[in-house]
PDB file of all heavy atoms in Angstrom:
ATOM      1  N   SER A   1      -9.393 -25.390  22.131  1.00 98.00           N
ATOM      2  CA  SER A   1      -8.331 -25.668  21.182  1.00 98.00           C
ATOM      3  C   SER A   1      -8.239 -24.530  20.184  1.00 98.00           C
ATOM      4  O   SER A   1      -9.243 -23.908  19.841  1.00 98.00           O
ATOM      5  CB  SER A   1      -8.586 -26.981  20.427  1.00 98.00           C
ATOM      6  OG  SER A   1      -8.636 -28.078  21.302  1.00 98.00           O
ATOM      7  N   CYS A   2      -7.045 -24.277  19.715  1.00 98.00           N
ATOM      8  CA  CYS A   2      -6.823 -23.249  18.708  1.00 98.00           C
ATOM      9  C   CYS A   2      -5.752 -23.739  17.750  1.00 98.00           C
ATOM     10  O   CYS A   2      -4.603 -23.942  18.152  1.00 98.00           O
ATOM     11  CB  CYS A   2      -6.400 -21.934  19.361  1.00 98.00           C
ATOM     12  SG  CYS A   2      -5.962 -20.632  18.192  1.00 98.00           S
ATOM     13  N   ALA A   3      -6.140 -23.915  16.503  1.00 97.00           N
ATOM     14  CA  ALA A   3      -5.225 -24.386  15.477  1.00 97.00           C
ATOM     15  C   ALA A   3      -4.846 -23.237  14.555  1.00 97.00           C
ATOM     16  O   ALA A   3      -5.709 -22.511  14.059  1.00 97.00           O
ATOM     17  CB  ALA A   3      -5.864 -25.515  14.671  1.00 97.00           C
ATOM     18  N   VAL A   4      -3.566 -23.095  14.323  1.00 96.00           N
ATOM     19  CA  VAL A   4      -3.046 -22.045  13.469  1.00 96.00           C
ATOM     20  C   VAL A   4      -2.689 -22.631  12.116  1.00 96.00           C
ATOM     21  O   VAL A   4      -2.000 -23.649  12.036  1.00 96.00           O
ATOM     22  CB  VAL A   4      -1.807 -21.376  14.088  1.00 96.00           C
ATOM     23  CG1 VAL A   4      -1.291 -20.259  13.186  1.00 96.00           C
ATOM     24  CG2 VAL A   4      -2.119 -20.843  15.475  1.00 96.00           C
ATOM     25  N   SER A   5      -3.145 -22.001  11.064  1.00 95.00           N
ATOM     26  CA  SER A   5      -2.835 -22.458   9.718  1.00 95.00           C
ATOM     27  C   SER A   5      -2.446 -21.276   8.847  1.00 95.00           C
ATOM     28  O   SER A   5      -2.697 -20.123   9.188  1.00 95.00           O
ATOM     29  CB  SER A   5      -4.023 -23.197   9.096  1.00 95.00           C
ATOM     30  OG  SER A   5      -5.135 -22.332   8.939  1.00 95.00           O
ATOM     31  N   GLY A   6      -1.844 -21.577   7.701  1.00 92.00           N
ATOM     32  CA  GLY A   6      -1.436 -20.539   6.773  1.00 92.00           C
ATOM     33  C   GLY A   6       0.063 -20.516   6.576  1.00 92.00           C
ATOM     34  O   GLY A   6       0.752 -21.498   6.829  1.00 92.00           O
ATOM     35  N   SER A   7       0.546 -19.385   6.107  1.00 85.00           N
ATOM     36  CA  SER A   7       1.970 -19.213   5.866  1.00 85.00           C
ATOM     37  C   SER A   7       2.654 -18.850   7.174  1.00 85.00           C
ATOM     38  O   SER A   7       2.598 -17.699   7.625  1.00 85.00           O
ATOM     39  CB  SER A   7       2.207 -18.130   4.814  1.00 85.00           C
ATOM     40  OG  SER A   7       1.609 -18.475   3.575  1.00 85.00           O
ATOM     41  N   ILE A   8       3.291 -19.834   7.759  1.00 87.00           N
ATOM     42  CA  ILE A   8       3.905 -19.664   9.070  1.00 87.00           C
ATOM     43  C   ILE A   8       5.386 -20.000   8.998  1.00 87.00           C
ATOM     44  O   ILE A   8       5.761 -21.090   8.577  1.00 87.00           O
ATOM     45  CB  ILE A   8       3.231 -20.564  10.116  1.00 87.00           C
ATOM     46  CG1 ILE A   8       1.734 -20.260  10.191  1.00 87.00           C
ATOM     47  CG2 ILE A   8       3.889 -20.376  11.473  1.00 87.00           C
ATOM     48  CD1 ILE A   8       0.955 -21.262  11.002  1.00 87.00           C
ATOM     49  N   SER A   9       6.203 -19.063   9.413  1.00 85.00           N
ATOM     50  CA  SER A   9       7.628 -19.325   9.539  1.00 85.00           C
ATOM     51  C   SER A   9       7.946 -19.895  10.910  1.00 85.00           C
ATOM     52  O   SER A   9       8.616 -20.920  11.033  1.00 85.00           O
ATOM     53  CB  SER A   9       8.438 -18.044   9.297  1.00 85.00           C
ATOM     54  OG  SER A   9       8.288 -17.585   7.969  1.00 85.00           O
ATOM     55  N   SER A  10       7.464 -19.227  11.931  1.00 89.00           N
ATOM     56  CA  SER A  10       7.649 -19.687  13.295  1.00 89.00           C
ATOM     57  C   SER A  10       6.592 -19.039  14.175  1.00 89.00           C
ATOM     58  O   SER A  10       6.092 -17.960  13.873  1.00 89.00           O
ATOM     59  CB  SER A  10       9.045 -19.347  13.810  1.00 89.00           C
ATOM     60  OG  SER A  10       9.242 -17.948  13.854  1.00 89.00           O
ATOM     61  N   ILE A  11       6.251 -19.708  15.240  1.00 91.00           N
ATOM     62  CA  ILE A  11       5.304 -19.176  16.208  1.00 91.00           C
ATOM     63  C   ILE A  11       6.037 -18.938  17.512  1.00 91.00           C
ATOM     64  O   ILE A  11       6.644 -19.853  18.062  1.00 91.00           O
ATOM     65  CB  ILE A  11       4.117 -20.127  16.430  1.00 91.00           C
ATOM     66  CG1 ILE A  11       3.412 -20.420  15.108  1.00 91.00           C
ATOM     67  CG2 ILE A  11       3.143 -19.521  17.436  1.00 91.00           C
ATOM     68  CD1 ILE A  11       2.239 -21.376  15.232  1.00 91.00           C
ATOM     69  N   HIS A  12       5.963 -17.724  17.971  1.00 92.00           N
ATOM     70  CA  HIS A  12       6.578 -17.387  19.246  1.00 92.00           C
ATOM     71  C   HIS A  12       5.580 -17.751  20.345  1.00 92.00           C
ATOM     72  O   HIS A  12       5.201 -18.903  20.472  1.00 92.00           O
ATOM     73  CB  HIS A  12       6.973 -15.912  19.254  1.00 92.00           C
ATOM     74  CG  HIS A  12       8.039 -15.588  18.242  1.00 92.00           C
ATOM     75  ND1 HIS A  12       9.068 -14.719  18.515  1.00 92.00           N
ATOM     76  CD2 HIS A  12       8.241 -16.016  16.971  1.00 92.00           C
ATOM     77  CE1 HIS A  12       9.856 -14.629  17.444  1.00 92.00           C
ATOM     78  NE2 HIS A  12       9.367 -15.406  16.501  1.00 92.00           N
ATOM     79  N   ALA A  13       5.144 -16.789  21.119  1.00 94.00           N
ATOM     80  CA  ALA A  13       4.207 -17.098  22.188  1.00 94.00           C
ATOM     81  C   ALA A  13       2.809 -17.360  21.648  1.00 94.00           C
ATOM     82  O   ALA A  13       2.378 -16.754  20.666  1.00 94.00           O
ATOM     83  CB  ALA A  13       4.165 -15.960  23.195  1.00 94.00           C
ATOM     84  N   MET A  14       2.106 -18.274  22.280  1.00 95.00           N
ATOM     85  CA  MET A  14       0.701 -18.518  22.016  1.00 95.00           C
ATOM     86  C   MET A  14      -0.035 -18.390  23.336  1.00 95.00           C
ATOM     87  O   MET A  14       0.535 -18.662  24.398  1.00 95.00           O
ATOM     88  CB  MET A  14       0.467 -19.899  21.424  1.00 95.00           C
ATOM     89  CG  MET A  14       1.206 -20.161  20.120  1.00 95.00           C
ATOM     90  SD  MET A  14       0.825 -21.785  19.413  1.00 95.00           S
ATOM     91  CE  MET A  14      -0.834 -21.497  18.781  1.00 95.00           C
ATOM     92  N   GLY A  15      -1.280 -17.988  23.270  1.00 97.00           N
ATOM     93  CA  GLY A  15      -1.989 -17.830  24.523  1.00 97.00           C
ATOM     94  C   GLY A  15      -3.473 -17.636  24.357  1.00 97.00           C
ATOM     95  O   GLY A  15      -4.020 -17.683  23.251  1.00 97.00           O
ATOM     96  N   TRP A  16      -4.106 -17.426  25.495  1.00 98.00           N
ATOM     97  CA  TRP A  16      -5.537 -17.213  25.566  1.00 98.00           C
ATOM     98  C   TRP A  16      -5.825 -15.959  26.354  1.00 98.00           C
ATOM     99  O   TRP A  16      -5.239 -15.727  27.424  1.00 98.00           O
ATOM    100  CB  TRP A  16      -6.236 -18.401  26.231  1.00 98.00           C
ATOM    101  CG  TRP A  16      -6.159 -19.666  25.430  1.00 98.00           C
ATOM    102  CD1 TRP A  16      -5.213 -20.636  25.503  1.00 98.00           C
ATOM    103  CD2 TRP A  16      -7.089 -20.079  24.421  1.00 98.00           C
ATOM    104  NE1 TRP A  16      -5.486 -21.643  24.610  1.00 98.00           N
ATOM    105  CE2 TRP A  16      -6.626 -21.324  23.929  1.00 98.00           C
ATOM    106  CE3 TRP A  16      -8.250 -19.529  23.888  1.00 98.00           C
ATOM    107  CZ2 TRP A  16      -7.304 -22.028  22.924  1.00 98.00           C
ATOM    108  CZ3 TRP A  16      -8.915 -20.218  22.894  1.00 98.00           C
ATOM    109  CH2 TRP A  16      -8.440 -21.454  22.426  1.00 98.00           C
ATOM    110  N   TYR A  17      -6.703 -15.157  25.824  1.00 98.00           N
ATOM    111  CA  TYR A  17      -7.222 -13.976  26.491  1.00 98.00           C
ATOM    112  C   TYR A  17      -8.726 -14.118  26.596  1.00 98.00           C
ATOM    113  O   TYR A  17      -9.342 -14.914  25.888  1.00 98.00           O
ATOM    114  CB  TYR A  17      -6.874 -12.705  25.708  1.00 98.00           C
ATOM    115  CG  TYR A  17      -5.402 -12.343  25.719  1.00 98.00           C
ATOM    116  CD1 TYR A  17      -4.458 -13.119  25.060  1.00 98.00           C
ATOM    117  CD2 TYR A  17      -4.961 -11.202  26.392  1.00 98.00           C
ATOM    118  CE1 TYR A  17      -3.116 -12.789  25.068  1.00 98.00           C
ATOM    119  CE2 TYR A  17      -3.614 -10.856  26.398  1.00 98.00           C
ATOM    120  CZ  TYR A  17      -2.705 -11.648  25.734  1.00 98.00           C
ATOM    121  OH  TYR A  17      -1.373 -11.302  25.746  1.00 98.00           O
ATOM    122  N   ARG A  18      -9.318 -13.349  27.481  1.00 98.00           N
ATOM    123  CA  ARG A  18     -10.764 -13.378  27.593  1.00 98.00           C
ATOM    124  C   ARG A  18     -11.300 -11.983  27.847  1.00 98.00           C
ATOM    125  O   ARG A  18     -10.604 -11.113  28.370  1.00 98.00           O
ATOM    126  CB  ARG A  18     -11.225 -14.332  28.696  1.00 98.00           C
ATOM    127  CG  ARG A  18     -10.870 -13.895  30.111  1.00 98.00           C
ATOM    128  CD  ARG A  18     -11.235 -14.984  31.109  1.00 98.00           C
ATOM    129  NE  ARG A  18     -10.939 -14.588  32.482  1.00 98.00           N
ATOM    130  CZ  ARG A  18     -11.024 -15.399  33.529  1.00 98.00           C
ATOM    131  NH1 ARG A  18     -11.402 -16.665  33.359  1.00 98.00           N
ATOM    132  NH2 ARG A  18     -10.734 -14.946  34.749  1.00 98.00           N
ATOM    133  N   GLN A  19     -12.550 -11.800  27.467  1.00 98.00           N
ATOM    134  CA  GLN A  19     -13.202 -10.526  27.667  1.00 98.00           C
ATOM    135  C   GLN A  19     -14.650 -10.758  28.074  1.00 98.00           C
ATOM    136  O   GLN A  19     -15.424 -11.373  27.341  1.00 98.00           O
ATOM    137  CB  GLN A  19     -13.146  -9.672  26.402  1.00 98.00           C
ATOM    138  CG  GLN A  19     -13.661  -8.254  26.595  1.00 98.00           C
ATOM    139  CD  GLN A  19     -13.316  -7.353  25.429  1.00 98.00           C
ATOM    140  OE1 GLN A  19     -13.096  -7.815  24.314  1.00 98.00           O
ATOM    141  NE2 GLN A  19     -13.259  -6.058  25.688  1.00 98.00           N
ATOM    142  N   ALA A  20     -14.982 -10.290  29.249  1.00 97.00           N
ATOM    143  CA  ALA A  20     -16.346 -10.349  29.747  1.00 97.00           C
ATOM    144  C   ALA A  20     -17.043  -9.036  29.441  1.00 97.00           C
ATOM    145  O   ALA A  20     -16.395  -7.998  29.256  1.00 97.00           O
ATOM    146  CB  ALA A  20     -16.346 -10.631  31.247  1.00 97.00           C
ATOM    147  N   PRO A  21     -18.376  -9.044  29.393  1.00 92.00           N
ATOM    148  CA  PRO A  21     -19.107  -7.799  29.128  1.00 92.00           C
ATOM    149  C   PRO A  21     -18.719  -6.695  30.096  1.00 92.00           C
ATOM    150  O   PRO A  21     -18.698  -6.896  31.312  1.00 92.00           O
ATOM    151  CB  PRO A  21     -20.569  -8.216  29.310  1.00 92.00           C
ATOM    152  CG  PRO A  21     -20.582  -9.669  28.990  1.00 92.00           C
ATOM    153  CD  PRO A  21     -19.288 -10.188  29.537  1.00 92.00           C
ATOM    154  N   GLY A  22     -18.407  -5.533  29.552  1.00 94.00           N
ATOM    155  CA  GLY A  22     -18.035  -4.400  30.374  1.00 94.00           C
ATOM    156  C   GLY A  22     -16.637  -4.447  30.939  1.00 94.00           C
ATOM    157  O   GLY A  22     -16.266  -3.568  31.728  1.00 94.00           O
ATOM    158  N   LYS A  23     -15.869  -5.446  30.556  1.00 96.00           N
ATOM    159  CA  LYS A  23     -14.515  -5.602  31.068  1.00 96.00           C
ATOM    160  C   LYS A  23     -13.490  -5.475  29.950  1.00 96.00           C
ATOM    161  O   LYS A  23     -13.799  -5.629  28.772  1.00 96.00           O
ATOM    162  CB  LYS A  23     -14.349  -6.964  31.742  1.00 96.00           C
ATOM    163  CG  LYS A  23     -15.307  -7.230  32.891  1.00 96.00           C
ATOM    164  CD  LYS A  23     -14.986  -6.365  34.093  1.00 96.00           C
ATOM    165  CE  LYS A  23     -15.860  -6.741  35.274  1.00 96.00           C
ATOM    166  NZ  LYS A  23     -15.552  -5.902  36.466  1.00 96.00           N
ATOM    167  N   GLU A  24     -12.267  -5.198  30.346  1.00 97.00           N
ATOM    168  CA  GLU A  24     -11.167  -5.166  29.395  1.00 97.00           C
ATOM    169  C   GLU A  24     -10.721  -6.585  29.066  1.00 97.00           C
ATOM    170  O   GLU A  24     -10.872  -7.506  29.876  1.00 97.00           O
ATOM    171  CB  GLU A  24      -9.991  -4.380  29.971  1.00 97.00           C
ATOM    172  CG  GLU A  24     -10.281  -2.917  30.252  1.00 97.00           C
ATOM    173  CD  GLU A  24     -10.463  -2.126  28.981  1.00 97.00           C
ATOM    174  OE1 GLU A  24      -9.736  -2.388  28.002  1.00 97.00           O
ATOM    175  OE2 GLU A  24     -11.334  -1.243  28.961  1.00 97.00           O
ATOM    176  N   ARG A  25     -10.180  -6.741  27.872  1.00 97.00           N
ATOM    177  CA  ARG A  25      -9.605  -8.029  27.526  1.00 97.00           C
ATOM    178  C   ARG A  25      -8.386  -8.281  28.398  1.00 97.00           C
ATOM    179  O   ARG A  25      -7.539  -7.403  28.572  1.00 97.00           O
ATOM    180  CB  ARG A  25      -9.225  -8.064  26.046  1.00 97.00           C
ATOM    181  CG  ARG A  25      -8.701  -9.415  25.585  1.00 97.00           C
ATOM    182  CD  ARG A  25      -8.409  -9.437  24.085  1.00 97.00           C
ATOM    183  NE  ARG A  25      -9.619  -9.244  23.292  1.00 97.00           N
ATOM    184  CZ  ARG A  25      -9.671  -9.360  21.970  1.00 97.00           C
ATOM    185  NH1 ARG A  25      -8.582  -9.693  21.289  1.00 97.00           N
ATOM    186  NH2 ARG A  25     -10.810  -9.150  21.324  1.00 97.00           N
ATOM    187  N   GLU A  26      -8.306  -9.469  28.960  1.00 97.00           N
ATOM    188  CA  GLU A  26      -7.231  -9.782  29.874  1.00 97.00           C
ATOM    189  C   GLU A  26      -6.549 -11.092  29.504  1.00 97.00           C
ATOM    190  O   GLU A  26      -7.161 -11.998  28.953  1.00 97.00           O
ATOM    191  CB  GLU A  26      -7.748  -9.877  31.314  1.00 97.00           C
ATOM    192  CG  GLU A  26      -8.734 -11.010  31.546  1.00 97.00           C
ATOM    193  CD  GLU A  26      -9.137 -11.161  33.002  1.00 97.00           C
ATOM    194  OE1 GLU A  26      -8.574 -10.460  33.860  1.00 97.00           O
ATOM    195  OE2 GLU A  26     -10.022 -11.996  33.285  1.00 97.00           O
ATOM    196  N   LEU A  27      -5.286 -11.161  29.838  1.00 98.00           N
ATOM    197  CA  LEU A  27      -4.528 -12.395  29.640  1.00 98.00           C
ATOM    198  C   LEU A  27      -5.031 -13.466  30.586  1.00 98.00           C
ATOM    199  O   LEU A  27      -5.185 -13.230  31.784  1.00 98.00           O
ATOM    200  CB  LEU A  27      -3.043 -12.145  29.878  1.00 98.00           C
ATOM    201  CG  LEU A  27      -2.144 -13.387  29.878  1.00 98.00           C
ATOM    202  CD1 LEU A  27      -2.008 -13.941  28.462  1.00 98.00           C
ATOM    203  CD2 LEU A  27      -0.774 -13.062  30.455  1.00 98.00           C
ATOM    204  N   VAL A  28      -5.264 -14.644  30.043  1.00 98.00           N
ATOM    205  CA  VAL A  28      -5.620 -15.803  30.850  1.00 98.00           C
ATOM    206  C   VAL A  28      -4.395 -16.692  31.050  1.00 98.00           C
ATOM    207  O   VAL A  28      -4.035 -17.042  32.176  1.00 98.00           O
ATOM    208  CB  VAL A  28      -6.756 -16.619  30.207  1.00 98.00           C
ATOM    209  CG1 VAL A  28      -7.059 -17.865  31.039  1.00 98.00           C
ATOM    210  CG2 VAL A  28      -8.005 -15.758  30.055  1.00 98.00           C
ATOM    211  N   ALA A  29      -3.771 -17.054  29.953  1.00 98.00           N
ATOM    212  CA  ALA A  29      -2.596 -17.913  30.012  1.00 98.00           C
ATOM    213  C   ALA A  29      -1.798 -17.763  28.730  1.00 98.00           C
ATOM    214  O   ALA A  29      -2.356 -17.483  27.675  1.00 98.00           O
ATOM    215  CB  ALA A  29      -2.987 -19.376  30.222  1.00 98.00           C
ATOM    216  N   GLU A  30      -0.508 -17.972  28.833  1.00 97.00           N
ATOM    217  CA  GLU A  30       0.382 -17.855  27.694  1.00 97.00           C
ATOM    218  C   GLU A  30       1.486 -18.884  27.809  1.00 97.00           C
ATOM    219  O   GLU A  30       1.930 -19.211  28.911  1.00 97.00           O
ATOM    220  CB  GLU A  30       0.972 -16.445  27.637  1.00 97.00           C
ATOM    221  CG  GLU A  30       1.794 -16.145  26.392  1.00 97.00           C
ATOM    222  CD  GLU A  30       2.260 -14.706  26.368  1.00 97.00           C
ATOM    223  OE1 GLU A  30       2.782 -14.241  27.404  1.00 97.00           O
ATOM    224  OE2 GLU A  30       2.095 -14.045  25.323  1.00 97.00           O
ATOM    225  N   VAL A  31       1.926 -19.379  26.679  1.00 96.00           N
ATOM    226  CA  VAL A  31       3.030 -20.329  26.658  1.00 96.00           C
ATOM    227  C   VAL A  31       3.959 -19.975  25.503  1.00 96.00           C
ATOM    228  O   VAL A  31       3.517 -19.673  24.393  1.00 96.00           O
ATOM    229  CB  VAL A  31       2.521 -21.789  26.545  1.00 96.00           C
ATOM    230  CG1 VAL A  31       1.681 -21.995  25.289  1.00 96.00           C
ATOM    231  CG2 VAL A  31       3.685 -22.766  26.583  1.00 96.00           C
ATOM    232  N   THR A  32       5.248 -20.001  25.767  1.00 90.00           N
ATOM    233  CA  THR A  32       6.238 -19.708  24.746  1.00 90.00           C
ATOM    234  C   THR A  32       6.632 -20.980  24.020  1.00 90.00           C
ATOM    235  O   THR A  32       6.274 -22.088  24.406  1.00 90.00           O
ATOM    236  CB  THR A  32       7.487 -19.068  25.356  1.00 90.00           C
ATOM    237  OG1 THR A  32       8.171 -20.038  26.159  1.00 90.00           O
ATOM    238  CG2 THR A  32       7.137 -17.868  26.215  1.00 90.00           C
ATOM    239  N   THR A  33       7.388 -20.810  22.945  1.00 84.00           N
ATOM    240  CA  THR A  33       7.875 -21.962  22.200  1.00 84.00           C
ATOM    241  C   THR A  33       8.699 -22.877  23.095  1.00 84.00           C
ATOM    242  O   THR A  33       8.647 -24.098  22.966  1.00 84.00           O
ATOM    243  CB  THR A  33       8.717 -21.517  20.994  1.00 84.00           C
ATOM    244  OG1 THR A  33       7.928 -20.672  20.148  1.00 84.00           O
ATOM    245  CG2 THR A  33       9.191 -22.720  20.188  1.00 84.00           C
ATOM    246  N   GLY A  34       9.458 -22.275  24.009  1.00 85.00           N
ATOM    247  CA  GLY A  34      10.286 -23.044  24.909  1.00 85.00           C
ATOM    248  C   GLY A  34       9.540 -23.697  26.052  1.00 85.00           C
ATOM    249  O   GLY A  34      10.137 -24.466  26.809  1.00 85.00           O
ATOM    250  N   GLY A  35       8.256 -23.391  26.192  1.00 89.00           N
ATOM    251  CA  GLY A  35       7.447 -24.037  27.202  1.00 89.00           C
ATOM    252  C   GLY A  35       7.203 -23.239  28.460  1.00 89.00           C
ATOM    253  O   GLY A  35       6.515 -23.728  29.372  1.00 89.00           O
TER     254      GLY A  35
END
């Protein structure tokens, strides 16, 4: 879970990335406001 707080006007895409040792950070999944 990831909760966003603070001064927010709108949130566009939200997602998850991951990074394993010795690897580049990579996209795991992403979802837009529209779904």
Side-chain angles (χ1 to χ4, degrees):
S1 299
C2 175
V4 181
S5 64
S7 299
I8 302 169
S9 295
S10 63
I11 303 179
H12 295 220
M14 301 183 74
W16 294 91
Y17 291 69
R18 68 186 181 188
Q19 187 167 24
K23 302 290 186 180
E24 297 291 322
R25 184 177 296 187
E26 64 175 354
L27 173 71
V28 177
E30 187 176 48
V31 58
T32 68
T33 302

